[in-house]
Amino acid sequence: MPAPELRICLDESDLDASLRLDVRRGLTSHPKYLPMRLHYDGRGSTLFAELTRQPEYYQTRSERAILHDRAGEIADALGADDVSVIELGAGRAEKIRPLLSALAGTGRLDAFWPFDVAEGEVRDVLLELSTAYPDAYLGGIVGDFTRHLAHLPDHHDTRLVAFLGGTFGNFTGMERSQFLRDLREALRPGDWFLLGADLVKDPDVILAAYNDAAGVTAEFNRHVLYVLNHRLDADFEPDNFEHIALWDNDTATIDMRLRAMKPMKVDLSALAIDVSFSVGEEIHTGISTKFLRGELENHLQATGFETTRCWTDERGYMGVFLACAI
């Protein structure tokens, strides 16, 4: 097979410019906010991996069980002899591997494309998978899947775009609609979309996942302030911010925040701005929406997809939806 193809849609200068814009806009807004994606630098990704191992955090285990148990059914439901898989936010491409193996085991894995903002991680995954799947075409996309879906490879017959891990729930309602419209525009009729989504359940179960006893979620949430200290020469005192996770039953959404425990004035030297906090003032650091199955299927239908199957774990905590572009 040829050497893996790499499509570079952004580089470190793009990421730095985006960081500066996001932080300036977010911390000068009322209320203050920071985008969820800022949490995931090197240590942030390590903390998130630790979080997924906590007993309260059901999401990763539940989705992994679905993909492990149903990979063969998902592969068969695609109904194609050759399938090219593109994984958005692939990271180490661990979530998708049961499906890749199911397709490869029956000779139907035509290609795999991890899509992620971290170029080093994309390169590492391609190197590793070149041994695991020697007969598949391998390529990678370094980009932001909210901006660069037009760069999806189009020279494969049947494409499956996978978006796993419940990340879809971190979008606002408007962002979800825009993402789905952009994805549908990038696909051809007959292409596939595999979506992992967190389903509505007992709020106590949901809240426990964001308030684990070991405090890993709290450390992960506060880590965004360390990111700003490191990358923007800020002087946040992360330990003086309290981790808050609130459940909104009307919108079926977890709202994560950092609450100032004392008055503070923070200098962000790289942006040449100061940001003041009063006691109890909050930074909104992310949301995680939970979905009713029918509600999500209707949303997919409204943006040009027809849901053909949905698999859940035995408790019905997570859902993996397979939809076809129409």
Side-chain angles (χ1 to χ4, degrees):
M1 297 299 293
E5 177 185 349
L6 201 62
R7 299 185 178 186
I8 308 292
C9 304
L10 54 74
D11 57 22
E12 283 299 324
S13 64
D14 297 315
L15 293 171
D16 185 65
S18 178
L19 169 74
R20 289 167 179 262
L21 178 63
D22 287 339
V23 173
R24 180 183 294 276
R25 180 184 294 151
L27 292 184
T28 57
S29 295
H30 302 282
K32 297 178 174 69
Y33 69 91
L34 290 169
M36 191 76 177
R37 61 180 174 274
L38 298 185
H39 290 74
Y40 295 94
D41 69 341
R43 181 170 178 266
S45 295
T46 300
L47 282 169
F48 183 75
E50 183 180 349
L51 170 60
T52 65
R53 295 189 288 269
Q54 300 309 304
E56 301 93 338
Y57 197 85
Y58 59 84
Q59 291 97 316
T60 301
R61 285 190 299 275
S62 298
E63 186 181 70
R64 184 180 295 134
I66 297 168
L67 293 168
H68 179 271
D69 294 343
R70 305 296 187 181
E73 291 181 34
I74 297 171
D76 290 343
L78 300 173
D81 293 333
D82 295 298
V83 179
S84 297
V85 179
I86 304 153
E87 185 182 12
L88 306 182
R92 298 295 304 171
E94 294 172 338
K95 300 182 290 292
I96 197 67
R97 294 200 195 192
L99 179 56
L100 297 182
S101 295
L103 289 167
T106 54
R108 289 182 288 160
L109 181 62
D110 183 43
F112 176 61
W113 292 75
F115 190 139
D116 203 278
V117 296
E119 180 178 343
E121 198 144 83
V122 171
R123 290 185 182 275
D124 289 346
V125 166
L126 292 175
L127 180 62
E128 180 181 349
L129 295 188
S130 65
T131 300
Y133 307 108
D135 296 327
Y137 183 96
L138 296 178
I141 304 169
V142 179
D144 179 344
F145 53 70
T146 66
R147 297 165 49 201
H148 300 126
L149 290 175
H151 295 273
L152 296 184
D154 60 3
H155 54 278
H156 302 293
D157 289 339
T158 300
R159 297 177 296 176
L160 169 72
V161 174
F163 192 27
L164 302 171
T167 306
F168 186 66
N170 298 146
F171 292 150
T172 66
M174 290 181 63
E175 289 168 340
R176 288 194 297 271
S177 295
Q178 187 63 55
F179 168 80
L180 290 175
R181 287 194 296 267
D182 290 346
L183 178 61
R184 177 60 192 87
E185 185 176 344
L187 298 180
R188 298 182 297 260
D191 283 337
W192 296 91
F193 179 39
L194 189 70
L195 176 64
D198 200 352
L199 302 179
V200 172
K201 60 188 71 64
D202 183 344
D204 289 340
V205 173
I206 296 170
L207 279 166
Y210 295 87
N211 292 285
D212 60 283
V216 181
T217 310
E219 184 63 19
F220 172 72
N221 196 13
R222 280 191 290 265
H223 176 68
V224 70
L225 303 182
Y226 289 100
V227 172
L228 301 194
N229 284 350
H230 174 66
R231 297 189 59 185
L232 296 176
D233 196 20
D235 59 359
F236 278 97
E237 302 172 40
D239 289 343
N240 286 315
F241 284 84
E242 179 185 10
H243 163 70
I244 304 292
L246 303 174
W247 172 249
D248 186 328
N249 201 58
D250 292 335
T251 61
T253 298
I254 282 282
D255 188 352
M256 283 178 49
R257 308 175 183 183
L258 290 170
R259 180 178 294 164
M261 295 188 289
K262 69 174 189 177
M264 285 175 272
K265 185 176 183 180
V266 178
D267 176 27
L268 291 94
S269 295
L271 299 182
I273 62 172
D274 293 327
V275 179
S276 296
F277 292 88
S278 58
V279 175
E281 188 174 0
E282 296 174 339
I283 309 171
H284 292 247
T285 53
I287 63 168
S288 182
T289 300
K290 316 305 174 185
F291 300 95
L292 296 170
R293 175 174 172 174
E295 171 193 43
L296 186 48
E297 290 175 343
N298 289 340
H299 198 63
L300 288 165
Q301 181 78 31
T303 49
F305 294 92
E306 181 180 359
T307 304
T308 61
R309 296 288 301 274
C310 174
W311 295 268
T312 65
D313 60 290
E314 61 182 12
R315 296 179 296 184
Y317 281 5
M318 294 289 289
V320 173
F321 295 76
L322 181 64
C324 186
I326 54 178

